[in-house]
Amino acid sequence: MCVDGKILSNVVSSQLAHGEYGGVIPELASRLHQQQIVRVVQKALSEAGMTAEQLDAIGFTRGPGLLGALIVGTCFAKSFALGLGIPLIDVNHMHAHVLANFLSENPPEFPFLCLTVSGGHTQIVRVKNYLEMEIIGQSIDDAAGEAFDKAAKLMGLPYPGGPEIDKLAQSGDPQAFSFPIPQIGTYEFSFSGIKTSLLYMLKKELKNDPEFIQKRKQDIAASYQNCIVHILLQKLQTAAEAYDVKHLAIAGGVSANSELRKRFTELCLAKGWTAHIPSFEYCTDNAAMIAIAAYYKMQAEQYADQKITPFARMK
Ligand code: KG4
Ligand code: ZN
């Protein structure tokens, strides 16, 4: 819930059930959304100390994401707005990640570049204003978060794997193993080769020593993470130099990664760029970023109509 761009409540119902299956099961996600949505909205209102009648507009995520879950949110938002007689505002999930940077005390100045890294996307975005963003480069295969999650799965770690790898890496040697750096377009990313290289390395080492993962998990995590962070920041640096921006930001679930946060800050310091990193709770998917994105669209009077439908892929 947000008033004048200030967040009053940010209720996130994490779907722990997916952990049991080692990944998100789309049908289960839709059912859990269906079960939780009324309770979550009621909690958001009560934590903000507001009633539904005091709301001016309803913002919701239209996509990209899992279609079943998005349909639940879209239907609820439409009904809620219709029932209250207030406007409906659709929000692009990836734009909202970028705009999470405006929930801080010192927001970025336009134009700036944002490295948006989540479970489904890896993008370098040129942000012109609150509403206009241009993707200047993205992943041609797996997203950075997906690369973390798949590596964690290969190592037998719980889902989601990103935070697990982050934790293990803190006591590992980032130079212990090396992974191939893909040779592709200047602003393009590719992470599937790194994951495959980890798979082959693990297979080979496990033949010699079945305890290999157990013994070296910290070093594997640190080396793998080091490779991903290196690629992300190297591309971002090239883009920042080419586009001559003074402010840089990171966003999305992977921006919660401690090594990425640290090295991004160091890079910006060395180059004289101002670094922007959302606070931890606004990196992974959250309601506050959708609220702030809807707030900016409301100021521009960009409303959705009742015919609107969600989309699974970025448009
Ligand atoms: O933005 P997000 O919450 O959901 C999507 O839009 O996909 O991002 C989730 C992704 C997952 O792949 C998760 O493993 C990754 O963000 N993630 C991390 C960390 N925390 C979450 N990856 C690396 N290090 C972390 N600390
Ligand atoms: Zn997300």
Side-chain angles (χ1 to χ4, degrees):
M1 197 109 342
C2 122
V3 171
D4 294 337
K6 297 270 165 294
I7 298 302
L8 298 189
S9 62
N10 177 36
V11 179
V12 175
S13 166
S14 54
Q15 301 193 341
L16 300 175
H18 296 297
E20 290 172 28
Y21 302 97
V24 173
I25 310 288
E27 187 182 326
L28 181 61
S30 313
R31 287 176 189 277
L32 290 171
H33 272 74
Q34 190 80 266
Q35 275 173 0
Q36 299 293 332
I37 197 157
V38 171
R39 185 189 66 83
V40 165
V41 171
Q42 280 171 342
K43 193 159 177 240
L45 281 167
S46 87
E47 282 185 11
M50 292 182 74
T51 62
E53 289 68 33
Q54 290 173 288
L55 297 173
D56 294 320
I58 304 294
F60 72 100
T61 324
R62 191 178 170 204
L66 281 179
L67 207 54
L70 291 168
I71 288 174
V72 174
T74 307
C75 286
F76 180 86
K78 282 186 184 184
S79 317
F80 204 28
L82 196 64
L84 292 165
I86 56 178
L88 181 66
I89 304 170
D90 61 303
V91 169
N92 180 306
H93 167 192
M94 301 317 292
H95 286 189
H97 273 304
V98 173
L99 296 174
N101 279 288
F102 290 87
L103 295 168
S104 83
E105 295 287 315
N106 296 303
E109 285 172 22
F110 299 114
F112 65 94
L113 288 187
C114 184
L115 172 73
T116 318
V117 267
S118 70
H121 297 82
T122 305
Q123 306 173 334
I124 298 178
V125 183
R126 186 163 168 267
V127 188
K128 296 176 200 165
N129 54 50
Y130 296 119
L131 306 172
E132 282 177 89
M133 304 184 194
E134 176 200 352
I135 298 172
I136 61 173
Q138 57 190 322
S139 178
I140 55 168
D141 45 51
D142 293 354
E146 204 175 346
F148 273 107
D149 295 339
K150 286 181 174 171
K153 199 164 186 175
L154 292 175
M155 292 168 68
L157 302 171
Y159 178 86
E164 299 291 326
I165 296 211
D166 191 344
K167 254 185 270 161
L168 284 173
Q170 304 197 359
S171 49
D173 173 6
Q175 308 300 335
F177 304 101
S178 61
F179 298 97
I181 305 287
Q183 302 302 315
I184 44 167
T186 317
Y187 305 127
E188 279 176 352
F189 296 94
S190 166
F191 293 107
S192 70
I194 301 161
K195 170 207 64 195
T196 309
S197 151
L198 173 68
L199 172 70
Y200 289 144
M201 189 268 267
L202 292 179
K203 272 192 178 162
K204 189 169 140 240
E205 298 291 346
L206 285 169
K207 259 192 210 153
N208 301 330
D209 179 3
E211 301 287 298
F212 175 75
I213 295 179
Q214 193 48 37
K215 285 183 193 156
R216 304 292 304 273
K217 59 181 183 227
Q218 287 88 352
D219 289 342
I220 303 169
S223 303
Y224 190 81
Q225 175 179 275
N226 180 46
C227 176
I228 295 181
V229 170
H230 170 82
I231 294 169
L232 291 173
L233 292 181
Q234 187 257 318
K235 301 262 170 177
L236 182 63
Q237 177 179 341
T238 308
E241 283 164 355
Y243 283 81
D244 194 24
V245 288
K246 301 282 172 283
H247 287 247
L248 290 188
I250 55 176
V254 181
S255 68
N257 182 268
S258 52
E259 185 67 13
L260 178 62
R261 292 166 88 91
K262 180 172 144 254
R263 279 167 51 189
F264 171 67
T265 309
E266 288 166 358
L267 170 69
C268 290
L269 203 64
K271 294 278 177 185
W273 297 322
T274 308
H276 299 272
I277 305 179
S279 62
F280 205 67
E281 72 271 27
Y282 299 143
C283 290
T284 43
D285 285 350
N286 64 86
M289 69 181 194
I290 305 300
I292 193 82
Y295 168 74
Y296 292 126
K297 283 190 94 171
M298 187 168 123
Q299 288 190 322
E301 297 183 16
Q302 289 191 5
Y303 301 123
D305 69 27
Q306 283 281 336
K307 284 199 206 116
I308 197 158
T309 54
F311 56 85
R313 296 185 177 280
M314 188 81 187
K315 27 162 121 178

